[in-house]
């Protein structure tokens, strides 16, 4: 089961969001099995993050996007459970402030990109500037339409400077969103999450799907691929995201630094 290959959006290919089933569980039909596999993977992630931190050469940027109630917060708390908080931080991007709006759209994002050895998670990201901004015409089309290339160029700069980028779209269905928003109304542990905007935004479902389809299709690159994660089942979503992260970190062949490397790091040479 190579979930990384299966859910990665091929760079340059034709991408249609409707080809992706939010209910897919890839033959893992038991929640219990998925939870056990995920536990194993999150354990490995704890170890890999330790080495990433010690090696201090590269960083990992995880971008999470999805409709309201798609599970961005839940994914973070499940997948990162156990990871040393010293080497990991989350940035949630909300509506830009006045100061942020006085700058280019990437300005507020760049300063939160993780430094060497760190895992940085973006709960929403610069992609909002081609999603909510496009759906609500917050800037003219000739402004947002240029942003796909600008995003690709920005992410390429990061990748060339040792930032490994993984982007996840948590794909839920419209019915599942309705169910989750209803649940928020009755569950006192979830009702704090209700936002007046959620019901209003739901009316723009199709516009958002079109905006996501373009963002994912145009910005899935070799150096910063998009993954479309079936997210109707939370247990499968957690399994898929953790497996893709662990796979990617495995590929980096992370190593604890040797004494020679440490001596170099402590010298003035920039590396
Ligand atoms: P939440 O993630 O539920 O706390 O909501 C954050 C809100 O901020 C969402 O409604 C986003 O659409 C909005 N938001 C995030 N980034 C931007 C942006 N660049 N422009 C406008 N709205 C944004
Ligand atoms: Mg919300």
């Amino acid at each position: 089961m190579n979930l990384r290959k299966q859910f990665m959006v091929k760079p340059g290919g034709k991408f249609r969001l409707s080809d992706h089933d939010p209910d897919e569980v890839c033959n893992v039909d038991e929640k219990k099995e998925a939870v056990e596999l995920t536990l194993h993977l999150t354990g490995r992630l704890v170890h890999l993050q330790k080495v990433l931190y010690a090696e201090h050469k590269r960083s990992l940027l995880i971008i999470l996007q999805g409709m309201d109630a798609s599970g961005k917060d839940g994914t973070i708390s499940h997948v990162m459970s156990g990871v040393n908080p010293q080497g990991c931080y989350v940035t949630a991007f909300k509506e830009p402030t006045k100061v942020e709006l006085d700058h280019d759209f990437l300005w507020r994002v760049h300063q939160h990109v993780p430094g060497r050895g760190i895992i940085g998670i973006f709960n929403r990201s610069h992609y909002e500037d081609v999603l909510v901004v496009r759906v609500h015409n917050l800037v003219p089309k000739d402004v947002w339409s240029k942003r796909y290339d600008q995003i690709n160029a920005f992410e390429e700069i990061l990748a060339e400077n040792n930032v490994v980028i993984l982007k996840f779209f948590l794909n839920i269905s419209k019915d599942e969103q309705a169910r989750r928003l209803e649940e928020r109304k009755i569950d006192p542990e979830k009702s704090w999450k209700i936002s007046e905007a959620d019901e209003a935004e739901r009316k723009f479902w199709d516009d958002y799907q079109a905006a996501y389809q373009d963002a994912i299709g145009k910005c899935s690159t070799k150096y910063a691929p998009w993954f479309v994660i079936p997210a109707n089942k939370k247990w499968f979503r957690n399994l898929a995201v953790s497996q893709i992260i662990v796979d990617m970190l495995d590929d980096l062949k992370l190593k604890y630094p040797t004494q020679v490397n440490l001596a170099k790091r402590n010298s003035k040479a920039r590396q």
Side-chain angles (χ1 to χ4, degrees), residues 49 60 116 133 162 202 205 222:
Q49 186 253 352
L60 176 64
R116 293 174 201 273
V133 167
N162 306 312
R202 202 174 138 68
W205 179 273
K222 237 179 95 190

Side-chain angles (χ1 to χ4, degrees), residues 182-200:
E182 275 312 303
E183 203 175 296
R184 285 184 179 178
K185 287 186 192 152
I186 47 176
D187 183 342
E189 288 189 15
K190 292 184 177 159
S191 54
W192 63 274
K193 280 196 171 192
I194 296 176
S195 140
E196 270 181 23
D198 290 349
E199 288 297 333

Side-chain angles (χ1 to χ4, degrees), residues 256-267 271:
Y256 284 106
T258 61
Q259 289 307 315
V260 175
N261 285 340
L262 280 174
K264 264 198 217 157
R265 191 194 294 173
N266 292 334
S267 79
Q271 29 179 325

Side-chain angles (χ1 to χ4, degrees), residues 68 72 93-96 108 123-125 128-129 132-133 138 193 195 197-198 201 208:
D68 292 317
K72 298 182 286 295
F93 290 94
K94 311 283 180 187
E95 267 187 55
R108 67 168 181 162
N123 183 342
R124 303 187 189 267
S125 64
E128 291 294 324
D129 291 280
V132 62
V133 167
L138 300 180
K193 280 196 171 192
S195 140
D198 290 349
E201 287 307 283
Y208 271 107

Side-chain angles (χ1 to χ4, degrees), residues 141-190:
K141 181 173 183 188
D142 68 318
V143 174
W144 62 252
S145 59
K146 292 197 185 86
R147 289 183 173 168
Y148 302 102
D149 287 344
Q150 293 166 357
I151 288 174
N152 286 341
F154 170 62
E155 292 177 353
E156 190 171 20
I157 293 173
L158 300 183
E160 286 179 354
N161 284 276
N162 306 312
V163 183
V164 176
I165 306 171
L166 295 174
K167 303 181 294 204
F168 296 102
F169 171 62
L170 305 181
N171 189 23
I172 55 167
S173 60
K174 198 174 179 188
D175 285 349
E176 180 63 17
Q177 188 197 46
R179 214 186 53 70
R180 292 186 188 182
L181 292 179
E182 275 312 303
E183 203 175 296
R184 285 184 179 178
K185 287 186 192 152
I186 47 176
D187 183 342
E189 288 189 15
K190 292 184 177 159

